[in-house]
Amino acid sequence: MAVDVLLGLQWGDEGKGKIVDVLSPEYDLIARFQGGPNAGHTLEFNQQKFVLNTIPSGIFNPKTMNLIGNGVVIDPIILKRELDGLKARGFDPVADQKLFIARRAHIILPTHQLLDAASESKMGVGKIGSTLKGIGPTYMDKTGRNGLRVGDTQLPDFKARYQKLVDKHKSILAHYGEIPDFSEKEAAFFEAVEMLKAIPQVDGEHFVNQYLRAGKKVLAEGAQGTMLDVDFGSYPFVTSSNTTTAGACTGLGIAPKQIGKVIGIFKAYCTRVGGGPFPTELENETGEKLRAIGHEFGATTGRPRRCGWIDLPALKYAIMLNGVTEMVMTKADVLSGFDTIYACTHYLYNGEKIDYMPYDISAISPEPIYEAISGWNEDLTGIRKTDEIPAKLTAYIQYLEKHLGVPVKYLSVGPDREQTLNLMQ
Ligand code: GDP
Ligand code: IMO
Ligand code: MG
């Protein structure tokens, strides 16, 4: 059996949570492989809306197990808040024995968040626009070999280890200025660590491989998007993990040969939240219209998302890096009522027409070259059958498939679980 991967092809918020939830009945295990509570994965069903930050989006399916993989960074306070929130609404994945956590996953400390904030405020105009959840500093401690891991919470000297790392953080924070009081956060942290200890901790790599050996189906759930990948995204305006398929191997402990389908998800247009280059951004009324109709405000931070037309060079790059085998297009309904929509097919870069992503996109924002496409007027949100899809939307999908060379298997026409069409059925 292979591990299928679902990941974002743009700058995040493509609708991963919704689609993982839709696909979860087909899988025995959903495993988050990277990122942390910088993610906000939204899913809706039965008039209920949930936003998950750390917990995999398979928890609402009664039969599916869920793993927070070793590549994820965990804020115990946020995870406790997520679990308490779910419990209050009648879902308890821990009591139901359907949530597991990898011992090797790293822990976000309150001081990691202080470091994130201090680093961002020091950068001023060039700031990343981080979610300020402590993601960067936690991954820095991981690769710097100073980090604390979930399994460490079970050790008798956990507090001493914590203090050693906090002392290091304090010396760094002192360089930035006065260290804010974090005693309340620290108390909440230790309370949440007790909760963390109650979630079954596993060696995630063996856990996942046992599923595979038993012939069970696993879906790896990505966070963020390819253009936020630390190696291949719009560096330095990226997150601190590998958001690409390769990240599923290191973030779960699976061999490359075990990767099966790679499901790439993208919006019918494009958004980005935070700083950094965004070639197709529309800083005008059209961009505002997309934001208003698409409710483009961050699921985690509430920040307005920057909006623009679809970017084919960026998508082609993402498809290549991830080995995408099939795609999901979301938010097609948001484009209803635009007489003309535009697709960026090339960039003008140093006076040259190119169709790839230049390495220094952050320094020289390339100018997009567009092709105009005739839009559709029909409301799509009630569509449940493929023969109800307007011809112009079908033409748009076929246009994208031709340019990108990968089929669109699912079409999403609204935030609800039900508003999803399988185009290959
Ligand atoms: P994720 O981070 O990739 O899981 O995406 P987010 O949850 O951050 O953002 C996607 C937003 O779009 C959420 O509010 C979803 O409820 C919503 N959404 C997902 N698919 C669709 C769709 O097809 N149409 C519309 N209108 N909204 C959608
Ligand atoms: P999901 O999983 C969209 C962005 C931040 C910032 C940059 C670095 O919901 O798609 P970080 O907090 O990681 O240091 O921020 O990355 N970012 C996201 N943008 N969706 C996300 O996750 C994001 N996670 C981080 O806005 O620009
Ligand atoms: Mg999101």
Side-chain angles (χ1 to χ4, degrees):
M1 265 295 166
V3 176
D4 294 343
V5 184
L6 183 138
L7 42 71
L9 299 181
Q10 296 163 319
W11 275 279
D13 302 329
E14 297 90 347
K16 297 175 290 292
K18 172 192 158 159
I19 300 298
V20 169
D21 172 62
V22 167
L23 298 181
S24 61
E26 291 177 29
Y27 291 93
D28 299 293
L29 177 69
I30 307 291
R32 257 285 295 272
F33 63 87
Q34 47 67 236
N38 47 351
H41 293 181
T42 315
L43 40 103
E44 294 189 25
F45 56 90
N46 300 343
Q47 278 82 49
Q48 286 182 288
K49 176 175 166 172
F50 295 90
V51 179
L52 299 171
N53 304 117
T54 326
I55 299 172
S57 304
I59 49 154
F60 299 105
N61 188 273
K63 288 200 203 105
T64 314
M65 295 294 141
N66 295 269
L67 172 72
I68 302 172
N70 61 277
V72 178
V73 289
I74 293 158
D75 181 334
I77 300 173
I78 295 180
L79 180 56
K80 181 174 186 304
R81 198 194 303 150
E82 275 182 84
L83 284 167
D84 289 346
L86 286 169
K87 218 172 175 175
R89 297 173 71 181
F91 294 92
D92 192 343
V94 179
D96 294 345
Q97 300 181 317
K98 51 192 299 199
L99 182 66
F100 301 85
I101 190 161
R103 287 193 180 94
R104 291 175 194 272
H106 279 246
I107 300 177
I108 303 175
L109 272 48
T111 41
H112 282 128
Q113 282 176 12
L114 296 181
L115 286 165
D116 212 356
S119 162
E120 281 283 83
S121 69
K122 184 95 177 169
M123 278 206 253
V125 281
K127 69 178 185 178
I128 310 291
S130 158
T131 60
L132 302 180
K133 304 291 179 197
I135 305 297
T138 307
Y139 279 115
M140 280 164 74
D141 272 334
K142 174 178 177 175
T143 51
R145 296 157 297 177
N146 294 303
L148 289 180
R149 299 185 292 174
V150 165
D152 297 344
T153 59
Q154 308 285 0
L155 301 175
D157 66 343
F158 175 69
K159 277 210 167 148
R161 287 171 187 241
Y162 166 87
Q163 200 53 53
K164 192 172 163 210
L165 188 52
V166 167
D167 288 344
K168 184 189 143 211
H169 291 165
K170 279 184 174 167
S171 67
I172 303 169
L173 284 165
H175 286 283
Y176 287 107
E178 209 177 310
I179 305 174
D181 175 48
F182 60 96
S183 48
E184 248 177 63
K185 264 257 157 120
E186 193 165 61
F189 174 83
F190 281 107
E191 197 192 324
V193 163
E194 290 309 308
M195 177 274 325
L196 191 63
K197 286 157 81 172
I199 302 174
Q201 298 180 6
V202 297
D203 291 326
E205 63 280 27
H206 292 299
F207 190 82
V208 174
N209 280 284
Q210 271 161 13
Y211 265 77
L212 297 178
R213 277 198 298 276
K216 295 189 174 166
K217 289 192 74 184
V218 180
L219 179 68
E221 174 179 356
Q224 290 79 55
T226 301
M227 296 313 297
L228 289 169
D229 181 276
V230 66
D231 279 278
F232 301 107
S234 48
Y235 193 89
F237 299 95
V238 294
T239 190
S240 299
S241 62
N242 284 114
T243 58
T244 38
T245 304
C249 293
T250 55
L252 293 175
I254 46 174
K257 69 174 183 186
Q258 283 168 316
I259 300 291
K261 289 193 278 191
V262 179
I263 307 164
I265 176 164
F266 66 97
K267 278 181 194 171
Y269 48 101
C270 195
T271 64
R272 157 162 221 175
V273 59
F278 181 5
T280 62
E281 181 171 16
L282 295 165
E283 290 178 282
N284 56 21
E285 273 176 24
T286 311
E288 279 162 27
K289 189 174 162 188
L290 284 171
R291 184 178 309 120
I293 303 174
H295 304 293
E296 294 295 356
F297 296 89
T300 302
T301 58
R303 292 179 292 176
R305 294 179 185 143
R306 300 155 65 192
C307 298
W309 297 120
I310 202 157
D311 183 335
L312 299 180
L315 279 176
K316 273 190 213 168
Y317 187 57
I319 287 165
M320 176 188 82
L321 292 168
N322 292 306
V324 173
T325 57
E326 61 191 54
M327 298 194 289
V328 182
M329 182 163 94
T330 59
K331 304 197 99 160
D333 53 301
V334 175
L335 293 184
S336 291
F338 283 83
D339 291 338
T340 309
I341 53 180
Y342 294 87
C344 165
T345 58
H346 296 80
Y347 301 137
L348 200 60
Y349 171 69
N350 288 335
E352 212 188 311
K353 190 176 164 186
I354 59 166
D355 71 346
Y356 62 86
M357 179 58 61
Y359 107 94
D360 54 354
I361 179 180
S362 293
I364 313 163
S365 201
E367 199 187 311
I369 299 174
Y370 289 112
E371 206 164 306
I373 295 159
S374 181
W376 56 92
N377 279 316
E378 295 88 338
D379 175 10
L380 308 180
T381 54
I383 290 184
R384 297 292 178 273
K385 292 194 196 117
T386 48
D387 58 11
E388 295 164 358
I389 298 173
K392 284 181 174 168
L393 172 55
T394 302
Y396 183 49
I397 294 170
Q398 285 170 349
Y399 170 88
L400 296 175
E401 288 178 328
K402 190 180 107 207
H403 275 268
L404 300 171
V406 182
V408 175
K409 183 167 179 192
Y410 295 97
L411 175 68
S412 173
V413 294
D416 194 273
R417 205 186 248 177
E418 302 290 319
Q419 293 171 302
T420 319
L421 287 94
N422 182 340
L423 303 182
M424 293 186 179
Q425 239 164 20

